[in-house]
Amino acid sequence: MKANYPPLYYSDYLKLDKLLSCQNPKSEEYEGKLAHDEVLFIIVHQAYELWFKQILHELDSVRDIFASDYINENNMGVALGRLSRITEIQKVLIDQLNILETMTPMDFLEFRDFLVPASGFQSYQFRLVENKLGLRPDQRKLFDKSAYYSRLTPAHQALVIASEEEPSLYDLVEKWLERTPFLKLKGFDFWENYKAAVQTAFQHDREIIEQNPTLAEGQKEMELAELSKSTEGFLAVFDEEKHNTLREEGHRRLSYAATQAALLINLFRDEPILHIPFKLLTTLVEIDELFTAWRHRHAQMVQRMIGTKIGTGGSSGHHYLRVTAESHKVFTDLTNLSTYLLPRSQLPPLPEEFRKNLGFYYTYRNDEDKS
Ligand code: HEM
């Protein structure tokens, strides 16, 4: 680094003159009278957009890391750190709504009409975040027949459409899972052993129901039928064809190989080499969960602010937002992996040779030296 750089002034570095002159309330411009809370409304939205920018910065760098065919361990740590940063930002995004809610619905009415047809629905950065995470266009719930980007400027539409074409974080993580070497266990059929353990566990559950003296015959039948249904869903993880049918029908998204790899990572999370992959998968689930929490929280705030009125962007408002909260999720299959987990005591033991490969080399060298 060069030693002599010109002295920097705080305000110039942050371009504060520019940044702080970007709050121009419409109430003042149109009516010559400032609606006091409009300043808060603008600043809260601007703060969101700045955080969206930061999330995109992190997302792009993590996608770059996962785009390579081989990811070294250092980069996995970096990717995990950046994804965890996203979750911390998301928590702030949820909390920020509390500040906005200090504005009462009547105060909002002082300037709401000036905003039409602008709405957070037109946040192109929010759409970029959704697409870069991996929300599929055909998964979107629309509130009218036009595309979700139809209300954006042509320049913003171009950005959003281009992001649909790029490999999303979801796509890249799926490919990475498919490449994991852990699935090939020499001389040990993990999946057959695991299947047997699962069948024993379900048999055990069946016996508990059958032998439960407090259940009437009808109740027993109902519970056994439920158990058969969940056993069948569970066993699909051992049947590639069935899995692929579920994918075609839209009930699953993750490929068969990626599902098996993710499951193995979850089951053997205690093995040192799987710590970071496990943390990574958990963080993706958390990102999904936090966006869903934000969506629900935003929908709740919207109901409080405008009741059942339509939004300034023209949607059914609160109702539309509730629907997107439930359906605009990306990593659902990773969340649902818990369906397939067994208690550690019921897992088939891994052959020692394989376990050694999952450990830290230094630890085992030490153990060998001792023996
Ligand atoms: C008084 C406060 C707010 C109200 C009443 C409100 C209302 C709405 C409504 C009704 C919609 C549905 C589209 C429409 O018809 O306009 C919407 C969408 C949206 N709003 Fe807000 N909003 C508020 C604050 C915020 C804030 C602070 C953000 C932060 C950026 C935000 C971001 C969004 C986003 C991203 C969408 C699109 C959601 C989707 O399509 O799934 N909103 N908002």
Side-chain angles (χ1 to χ4, degrees):
M1 222 189 247
K2 237 171 58 179
N4 294 324
Y5 290 103
L8 195 55
Y9 182 58
Y10 174 83
S11 187
D12 291 343
Y13 180 53
L14 299 175
K15 303 221 179 331
L16 287 188
D17 287 345
K18 207 167 172 181
L19 188 66
L20 301 179
S21 53
C22 291
Q23 295 72 37
N24 311 113
K26 288 292 165 198
S27 51
E28 198 166 41
E29 185 186 328
Y30 295 159
E31 304 272 310
K33 188 171 179 295
L34 174 70
H36 180 87
D37 285 9
E38 194 180 351
V39 177
L40 174 77
F41 186 81
I42 294 172
I43 288 182
V44 168
H45 279 82
Q46 287 177 335
Y48 268 103
E49 291 295 336
L50 284 175
W51 284 126
F52 290 160
K53 181 171 181 175
Q54 186 66 36
I55 290 178
L56 287 168
H57 182 56
E58 305 302 347
L59 259 184
D60 283 342
S61 76
V62 175
R63 288 189 316 138
D64 280 348
I65 291 173
F66 274 88
S68 72
D69 285 342
Y70 169 75
I71 310 171
N72 82 28
E73 284 305 309
N74 292 353
N75 280 346
M76 281 293 285
V78 171
L80 177 59
R82 291 180 184 166
L83 290 175
S84 303
R85 181 177 291 159
I86 292 179
T87 61
E88 292 309 316
I89 295 173
Q90 287 179 291
K91 291 174 197 166
V92 171
L93 295 186
I94 295 172
D95 270 0
Q96 248 172 217
L97 289 177
N98 295 334
I99 307 177
L100 193 54
E101 274 184 335
T102 60
M103 171 179 80
T104 68
M106 287 280 276
D107 292 327
F108 183 40
L109 288 177
E110 295 293 313
F111 60 91
R112 181 174 188 251
D113 285 353
F114 304 135
L115 309 179
V116 179
S119 158
F121 190 77
Q122 292 171 333
S123 167
Y124 75 94
Q125 289 204 107
F126 187 75
R127 301 304 176 205
L128 291 178
V129 171
E130 290 179 326
N131 288 349
K132 286 175 188 231
L133 277 174
L135 187 69
R136 287 193 325 251
D138 64 347
Q139 201 188 331
R140 287 184 180 277
K141 302 282 183 231
L142 304 172
F143 68 79
D144 59 16
K145 293 210 166 68
S146 25
Y148 67 97
Y149 47 71
S150 61
R151 289 149 204 255
L152 302 182
T153 63
H156 290 161
Q157 286 195 18
L159 284 173
V160 170
I161 293 169
S163 72
E164 281 185 1
E165 303 301 320
E166 296 164 16
S168 66
L169 182 61
Y170 172 91
D171 298 327
L172 296 166
V173 167
E174 184 179 53
K175 293 257 156 0
W176 166 73
L177 283 168
E178 286 169 356
R179 289 195 306 267
T180 59
F182 314 121
L183 289 176
K184 299 178 195 91
L185 318 185
K186 243 196 244 155
F188 176 66
D189 195 335
F190 169 75
W191 292 107
E192 271 313 305
N193 282 277
Y194 179 55
K195 187 175 174 179
V198 168
Q199 277 164 337
T200 310
F202 274 114
Q203 185 53 34
H204 179 67
D205 289 350
R206 172 169 288 276
E207 282 162 13
I208 290 180
I209 299 173
E210 280 168 350
Q211 289 160 19
N212 185 343
T214 64
L215 288 179
E217 239 4 82
Q219 282 173 311
K220 237 180 226 180
E221 266 170 38
M222 218 170 65
E223 289 198 14
L224 287 171
E226 277 304 314
L227 184 70
S228 297
K229 223 163 66 190
S230 77
T231 312
E232 204 182 311
F234 199 136
L235 295 180
V237 82
F238 303 108
D239 184 339
E240 188 164 2
E241 218 173 289
K242 206 168 200 171
H243 183 92
N244 288 338
T245 309
L246 289 171
R247 274 182 97 196
E248 277 157 29
E249 290 168 356
H251 301 301
R252 298 269 196 290
R253 181 172 180 188
L254 206 59
S255 73
Y256 188 65
T259 304
Q260 287 200 319
L263 181 54
L264 204 84
I265 291 170
N266 268 271
L267 291 171
F268 295 104
R269 66 187 73 180
D270 297 337
E271 301 299 334
I273 215 168
L274 298 182
H275 284 179
I276 291 192
F278 171 66
K279 195 81 191 67
L280 193 115
L281 297 184
T282 313
T283 308
L284 295 175
V285 168
E286 213 174 315
I287 289 179
D288 231 15
E289 227 173 64
L290 285 164
F291 270 125
T292 303
W294 181 82
R295 286 175 192 276
H296 276 296
R297 184 69 187 82
H298 170 258
Q300 194 182 35
M301 180 199 66
V302 169
Q303 185 174 20
R304 176 172 168 170
M305 288 291 175
I306 64 170
T308 55
K309 284 190 202 123
I310 60 163
T312 49
S315 80
S316 57
H318 168 253
H319 173 73
Y320 161 76
L321 295 167
R322 283 257 181 253
V323 172
T324 58
E326 268 320 299
S327 43
H328 288 187
K329 298 177 185 178
V330 176
F331 298 103
T332 309
D333 286 354
L334 292 182
T335 311
N336 286 343
L337 280 179
S338 309
T339 319
Y340 308 112
L341 300 183
L342 289 178
R344 285 178 177 84
S345 59
Q346 291 175 21
L347 289 178
L350 291 174
E352 191 52 21
E353 196 45 41
F354 181 68
R355 254 178 50 77
K356 275 189 186 179
N357 290 334
L358 294 179
F360 289 129
Y361 180 63
Y362 179 77
T363 316
Y364 282 102
R365 268 293 301 275
N366 254 359
D367 287 351
E368 276 159 16
D369 290 348
K370 271 188 227 152
S371 58

